Amino acid sequence: MLIKPFNNTIVTLNEEKITEEIIKRLNLNLDNIINTFNKYKNELWRYRLNISARNSQLQQVSEIINDILQYLNDGMNFLIKHIEERSNILQIKYSNTVVSIYTENFVFREQKLRKGSILKISFREFGGVDLSVPALFNDNEIIPIRYGFAHSDEGRIKCYPYMASTQPWQWLIWSLLYPGSIHITLQSINLNKTNITLTMRLHTTQYCSLKDAVLNTNDEKTILLTLFGGILGDGTVKKIEKEKAIYLVAKSKRKWWVSVLKELNGWKEEGDTIVFRGNAAILTKRIIEAIPPLMKDLLDILSFEKWQRLRRLAAEAEINSLTDNHSP
């Protein structure tokens, strides 16, 4: 029986085989993900040459990247090997929006979206691996960031925190927030018409999540680091054009952000969102100044879009300050 994906955007699956189009797409696109991590390693090496005082710390981060890379390579080899063996289809389930195909080693689940569809490949037999994460930051530096991340973009099982993400930079930064043992699992491979992402799940049983904790401080640095953790999670950093303002939050987290921002001046609620109505450039400059120097180096190395926006806004504050100082 022929099974056609919604809108025919990805592949056609049948009971005899899983089309070679999947393997072709994987081989083509996975190189991009591996290259991203190799770029991180190269940048770490360059920073280690230039900043000898943090050489050993950056080397430890590089070792974590090596472990993640090895795990990804093992997962991809497992995936391609078993797809090429044409695993027998055990069961097929249908709904109005999802076709799920169960084989001996994988579940292929294609979900219809508003535009096109996405195919998620999840493993049935391939396990996870433990990372040994060094303690690179002091508690007074890392706990506020962990707190902000926990409230904006973290799950938990019992009291233990976990995070699932398709962003390689987020895998690395989240793991550094919880030194000790982190278990990582390749949860799914996601293909749409033009792109491929990997969903990695990370969790630890050495800490309880701070998701229910309440921020009880008026220390500005702690508040700024908490904001930064929230931004790294699910927070939004977006300057409002022609205004000295910045969006900081998705509407689903509104109450939590209010509890943090009440300690700072210049914010207000606008409908379902919170907008910082003070000078956005100055706020981001203060946030960046509060971040530990080693973490700033790592964020520069990872150079993801959210961090680049923060950097640009902070640079505006520097430029404005120089302009004001030189005004007649």
Side-chain angles (χ1 to χ4, degrees), residues 272-304:
D272 288 333
T273 64
I274 292 174
V275 176
F276 189 84
R277 282 291 178 190
N279 189 308
I282 290 176
L283 175 64
T284 51
K285 181 174 181 289
R286 288 160 62 196
I287 289 173
I288 288 175
E289 288 172 347
I291 299 169
L294 173 62
M295 182 165 283
K296 277 189 279 195
D297 288 342
L298 292 173
L299 296 167
D300 284 337
I301 289 166
L302 300 177
S303 192
F304 50 95

Side-chain angles (χ1 to χ4, degrees), residues 142-152 154 177-178 210-216 222 225-227 229-230 256 259-260:
I142 200 172
I143 290 176
I145 300 173
R146 188 191 299 162
Y147 171 84
F149 208 121
H151 279 264
S152 68
E154 187 177 271
L177 299 181
Y178 293 95
L210 296 177
K211 212 169 183 63
D212 284 339
V214 177
L215 186 69
N216 187 21
T222 300
L225 288 174
T226 299
L227 286 173
W256 176 77
S259 72
V260 178

Side-chain angles (χ1 to χ4, degrees), residues 109-316:
R109 183 169 286 112
E110 188 171 16
Q111 182 176 2
K112 185 177 182 180
L113 305 175
R114 188 170 61 179
K115 294 183 179 180
S117 62
I118 186 167
L119 177 68
K120 293 191 174 186
I121 307 172
S122 55
F123 296 87
R124 291 165 69 90
E125 300 295 335
F126 185 71
V129 69
D130 290 324
L131 301 177
S132 180
V133 180
L136 299 179
F137 305 99
N138 298 326
D139 281 353
N140 62 347
E141 297 172 329
I142 200 172
I143 290 176
I145 300 173
R146 188 191 299 162
Y147 171 84
F149 208 121
H151 279 264
S152 68
D153 194 20
E154 187 177 271
R156 64 182 171 183
I157 297 177
K158 296 182 178 178
C159 81
Y160 305 122
Y162 75 87
M163 195 264 299
S165 173
T166 61
Q167 301 296 323
W169 67 265
Q170 215 166 34
W171 308 342
L172 186 60
I173 294 298
W174 191 88
S175 67
L176 293 176
L177 299 181
Y178 293 95
S181 179
I182 297 283
H183 190 75
I184 64 172
T185 307
L186 184 53
Q187 188 166 294
S188 68
I189 298 164
N190 320 301
L191 296 95
N192 61 23
K193 190 172 183 179
T194 59
N195 192 27
I196 179 173
T197 59
L198 307 181
T199 299
M200 190 77 80
R201 187 178 183 276
L202 304 89
H203 77 271
T204 177
T205 57
Q206 294 186 313
Y207 300 82
C208 275
S209 173
L210 296 177
K211 212 169 183 63
D212 284 339
V214 177
L215 186 69
N216 187 21
T217 181
N218 57 6
D219 178 70
E220 181 176 281
K221 182 174 180 179
T222 300
I223 294 167
L224 292 170
L225 288 174
T226 299
L227 286 173
F228 176 62
I231 290 167
L232 286 180
D234 198 32
T236 300
V237 182
K238 181 182 178 183
K239 186 180 178 184
I240 304 173
E241 291 300 323
K242 300 180 181 179
E243 297 185 47
K244 290 184 176 180
I246 182 174
Y247 286 118
L248 279 176
V249 61
K251 61 184 179 181
S252 61
K253 314 294 180 183
R254 186 163 60 95
K255 289 183 180 179
W256 176 77
W257 285 88
V258 168
S259 72
V260 178
L261 287 166
K262 68 181 182 181
E263 301 295 340
L264 298 174
N265 294 321
W267 68 275
K268 65 182 293 187
E269 297 181 65
E270 295 191 355
D272 288 333
T273 64
I274 292 174
V275 176
F276 189 84
R277 282 291 178 190
N279 189 308
I282 290 176
L283 175 64
T284 51
K285 181 174 181 289
R286 288 160 62 196
I287 289 173
I288 288 175
E289 288 172 347
I291 299 169
L294 173 62
M295 182 165 283
K296 277 189 279 195
D297 288 342
L298 292 173
L299 296 167
D300 284 337
I301 289 166
L302 300 177
S303 192
F304 50 95
E305 183 181 357
K306 197 178 286 190
W307 176 245
Q308 290 172 356
R309 288 201 299 269
L310 275 172
R311 277 293 201 193
R312 285 196 297 269
L313 285 167
E316 284 187 25

Side-chain angles (χ1 to χ4, degrees), residues 43-66:
E43 286 295 298
L44 278 165
W45 176 252
R46 184 172 67 83
Y47 267 67
R48 286 168 58 198
L49 291 177
N50 295 332
I51 311 174
S52 59
R54 289 198 276 278
N55 197 314
S56 62
Q57 295 169 309
L58 294 173
Q59 173 60 29
Q60 289 175 300
V61 176
S62 184
E63 288 168 3
I64 296 174
I65 291 174
N66 281 334

